[in-house]
Amino acid sequence: MPDDVAAARTPAPHGADSEVGRLRTVMLHRPGKELSRLTPRNNDRLLFDGVPWVARAQEEHDAFAQALRDRDVEVLYLTDLLTQSLEVPEARAVAIDTTLDDPHLGDTLHDYLHRFLSDATPAELTSYLTAGIRNDEVRGGFGLVTSLLDADAFLVDPLPNLLFTRDSSVWVRDRVAITSLAMPARRRETQLTELIYTHHPRFAGTPRIHGHHLEHVEGGDVLLLAPGVIAVGVGERTTPAGVERLARQVFDDDLAHTVLAVPIAQERATMHLDTICTMVDVDQMIVYENVADSLVAHAVTRGEEGRLAIAAPRPFLAAAAEAMGIDALHRIHTGLDPVTAEREQWDDGNNTLALGPRVAVAYERNDATNARLEAAGIEVVPIAGSELGSGRGGPRCMSCPIARDPLPA
């Protein structure tokens, strides 16, 4: 783990009310052993498009983290927070029980693994929970399950998608929403994230909304367009029921006055709303040109007697601007032509991370997109991502903002 060179200081108050308030604290996950568990036989099931070069991915991620620190952003690592949380006996017990809640293990193997994990140190337990356990790595629990499984079969799956910390939690003002991930390969991620927010002393007393056991909502689909206005993509990962639940929660807690439900294509290239568009200023958004004109939004607001009021669909940018109380939400095209736009969208050209108004981190390889951003007055902080991008995620996907400065009224 690289040294955290940020100077000791009082942490910024946790929370965020926009995508572009100055970023103060972020949670990342440095790729580790779990990434080396990917093979051509399991990468599809584990949601990676290839088998990344792990050492290079780590170099790229270290450079990403350093670029954030260079802008005075406090960087927290998910595995550090998890290890510290696992010092708490209750957290250990929950982590072990939820990990082994799998009928495929059988009683003999389940009981052995429970004893094995219970004897692990917090650091060892973090490694087992994130990198997984293979059949040829156990020294007990032998029975029919271990006999019939291949030697290199995983008894506990690795979690390579931990890299994308955006998806498992979202801060909405001073609350953290624990999300519910749709794909089986990712469901344990939110359980670990919930452990951190429940048991780590840094987050003691933090109010929470949603939860890993509820309807599917993924952080990559949630955009805080402005204070009180949240856009949520509905597609491959986030469901209409998930948006409905989230809307009720944010309205009940006075965290937002409008939720925009934005249908998106249910395909891998557009798995989340932030693969299509991200905010780079208070009134500017980078949008995938090939779908910009077809995006619509249903404005959801608080209705009478606790019901939700659902508006008819309108063009997304117009509905967003009206909810945000601005004349227009300006879009920046992501490519010079449909082919370039499609190539750079696939390479996460739209998936930028705003460090503040008009400053955004982006993958360096998306030349046309970055040139358009700079032409629009956006400062681009370029990072390498040839290996990091193999899981289909850019700078926004790889970061969970924990503290942003509130936008001026």
Side-chain angles (χ1 to χ4, degrees):
M1 182 70 64
D3 293 335
D4 190 339
V5 298
R9 58 187 173 186
T10 302
H14 300 154
D17 66 2
S18 76
E19 296 290 320
V20 298
R22 182 173 176 184
L23 184 60
R24 297 295 186 178
T25 303
V26 69
M27 180 168 63
L28 307 181
H29 173 65
R30 185 177 190 262
K33 184 178 178 181
E34 72 286 342
L35 219 59
S36 68
R37 305 289 218 168
L38 290 165
T39 71
R41 286 184 291 117
N42 69 18
N43 67 287
D44 286 341
R45 181 174 64 84
L46 295 176
L47 309 179
F48 269 67
D49 291 333
V51 179
W53 179 7
V54 178
R56 180 59 57 81
Q58 290 173 329
E59 291 175 4
E60 292 173 352
H61 196 273
D62 290 345
F64 173 41
Q66 190 57 50
L68 298 179
R69 293 191 189 100
D70 289 345
R71 300 293 178 125
D72 202 29
V73 178
E74 179 191 20
V75 174
L76 305 177
Y77 285 105
L78 183 148
T79 46
D80 290 347
L81 297 172
L82 179 58
T83 299
Q84 292 156 7
S85 300
L86 292 173
E87 298 278 359
V88 180
E90 182 184 351
R92 291 176 60 88
V94 171
I96 293 169
D97 288 346
T98 54
T99 298
L100 299 182
D101 184 17
D102 184 350
H104 295 95
L105 293 175
D107 291 341
T108 302
L109 186 56
H110 176 280
D111 292 346
Y112 167 76
L113 288 175
H114 197 284
R115 294 191 300 272
F116 174 75
L117 294 177
S118 297
D119 290 340
T121 67
E124 291 170 340
L125 184 54
T126 291
S127 179
Y128 295 136
L129 295 178
T130 58
I133 302 173
R134 283 200 324 242
N135 193 21
D136 57 0
E137 295 171 340
V138 298
R139 299 294 178 262
F142 303 127
L144 190 60
V145 175
T146 55
S147 298
L148 295 185
L149 286 176
D150 292 338
D152 61 352
F154 280 99
L155 309 176
V156 174
D157 275 339
L159 299 176
N161 292 281
L162 279 175
L163 175 63
F164 306 119
T165 55
R166 173 71 57 162
D167 293 327
S168 58
S169 64
V170 180
W171 286 81
V172 184
R173 297 191 187 266
D174 64 342
R175 312 292 172 96
V176 62
I178 307 298
T179 62
S180 172
L181 302 185
M183 308 302 280
R186 301 198 64 182
R187 287 177 187 164
R188 278 201 303 117
E189 294 176 40
T190 48
Q191 296 169 2
L192 298 182
T193 304
E194 188 163 31
L195 275 179
I196 291 170
Y197 288 123
T198 302
H199 296 286
H200 196 283
R202 176 164 182 150
F203 303 108
T206 297
R208 300 199 302 267
I209 58 175
H210 214 70
H212 73 267
H213 58 291
L214 294 175
E215 298 89 344
H216 297 316
V217 173
E218 301 206 353
D221 277 318
V222 180
L223 273 63
L224 307 180
L225 298 183
V229 183
I230 303 173
V232 188
V234 184
E236 185 187 58
R237 305 295 178 86
T238 295
T239 64
V243 180
E244 181 175 294
R245 170 83 67 172
L246 182 65
R248 291 187 185 281
Q249 291 173 325
V250 298
F251 295 156
D252 288 346
D253 291 343
D254 291 324
L255 302 175
H257 58 75
T258 304
V259 171
L260 298 172
V262 185
I264 58 177
Q266 297 195 30
E267 54 191 42
R268 183 150 174 77
T270 55
M271 71 180 83
H272 291 132
L273 183 59
D274 70 3
T275 65
I276 296 172
C277 58
T278 48
M279 297 289 292
V280 292
D281 196 4
V282 293
D283 62 353
Q284 283 188 295
M285 170 176 276
I286 185 166
V287 185
Y288 177 32
E289 184 66 16
N290 292 5
V291 302
D293 293 328
S294 62
L295 279 181
V296 299
H298 299 257
V300 183
T301 54
R302 195 196 313 261
E304 297 179 354
E305 300 179 357
R307 292 190 294 267
L308 297 179
I310 316 296
R314 294 183 57 205
F316 170 55
L317 294 177
E322 180 177 314
M324 296 164 69
I326 59 178
D327 292 336
L329 178 55
H330 304 286
R331 89 187 195 211
I332 300 170
H333 305 328
T334 56
L336 301 176
D337 58 74
V339 172
T340 302
E342 184 177 4
R343 282 174 54 86
E344 298 207 357
Q345 187 274 334
W346 177 254
D347 284 336
D348 300 300
N350 306 283
N351 194 259
T352 63
L353 170 66
L355 303 184
R358 307 179 76 80
V359 182
V361 183
Y363 278 154
E364 62 184 2
R365 65 190 178 196
N366 294 307
D367 322 76
T369 299
N370 293 343
R372 288 297 183 93
L373 283 168
E374 290 171 340
I378 308 301
E379 179 186 354
V380 175
V381 180
I383 63 167
S386 61
E387 298 303 316
L388 292 175
S390 60
R392 298 268 65 81
R396 187 180 192 274
C397 289
M398 294 189 296
S399 57
C400 175
I402 288 178
R404 284 189 183 274
D405 287 352
L407 290 178

